Amino acid sequence: MAKMINKTLVLTYIYLLIYIILSSGVILYNKWVLSPKYFNFPLPITLTMIHMGFAGFVAFLLIRVFKVVAPVKMTFEIYATCVVPISAFFASSLWFGNTAYLHISVAFIQMLKALMPVATFIMAVVCGTDKPRCDVFSNMLLVSVGVVISSYGEIHFNVVGTFYQVTGIFAEALRLVLTQVLLQKKGLTLNPITSLYYIAPCSFVFLALPWYVLEKPTMEVAQIQFNFWIFFSNALCALALNFSIFLVIGRTGAVTIRVAGVLKDWILIALSTVIFPESTITGLNITGYAIALCGVVMYNYIKVRDVKASQPIPDSLPDRINKEYKMEKKSSDKFSPNDCGNPKSRS
């Protein structure tokens, strides 16, 4: 029994480590590819479209060719009212998030991402899936104050990059809330493969219009280098990250991945200053981010407490024994030994 528990624990830590490595790797890789100082591919929409096209293609192979996962029952009405709006905000969040890499550092981006619970709570209240509460509001205020302090301490503060990142955060928050509102009401559950199968191609189409207007003219004029292996490995890492999130949630739960995300952010902030020397962190940055994280941790605690409160209280051991005894007694009353010996009882 102890060996089994140790094996499960080791596997859990391995999955968490894979998630942290992939998540940090994808962010650092995207920054390296997009940054004019390094690989110099300053086309975030194009990079996002490569990710979506690759993810949709792999999902198609897994579902339609290799039949690893069965497709869900998707009607035109569900696709038009659920998948299309979710895909639109998913594409927007990726577009704005990747564009931010051109203007601000990875470390500052991670600090701004502390606003995610704030954005999610606001969108949930607007969409009617959550109610305004004093305890949650105080945590959101703490997070916001921390992010403001961190922003004030940013040496290379850029309004455009900050705007893109915050807009991407709110787009992602709205996508999460819409996924809950639209898909759950339809009774539709999508795993990472089926999600990519339906959402990635639609997101690709949504990105085509801004790409045509904003980036196609630039690609025709500028000398843009295209390395197949760079973009293939980058898209592969992004796809692997989606699958690793599914594995971690399936193995541990959504709360654990939030905690792992906080750890990942600290590691990423430290790594980014080493890999990208222009990323300078000040004491005010760290102080503000620490304050924001306190709010995030308290928010996660409240959400976990709410989930536990909504679940039915499990029976105590004496209650379970009593219930089992009553069920056995009823069963023995229905099928007594005397009846078994009477042929009439079986007619």
Side-chain angles (χ1 to χ4, degrees), residues 56-71 193 197:
F57 175 69
V58 172
F60 175 82
L61 290 178
L62 292 174
I63 291 175
R64 294 297 181 185
V65 179
F66 299 109
K67 301 189 185 301
V68 175
V69 178
I193 298 175
Y197 178 73

Side-chain angles (χ1 to χ4, degrees), residues 174-187:
L174 189 52
R175 180 192 74 84
L176 292 171
V177 174
L178 283 178
T179 301
Q180 181 184 355
V181 172
L182 299 177
L183 291 183
Q184 288 185 4
K185 279 189 176 179
K186 300 289 183 181

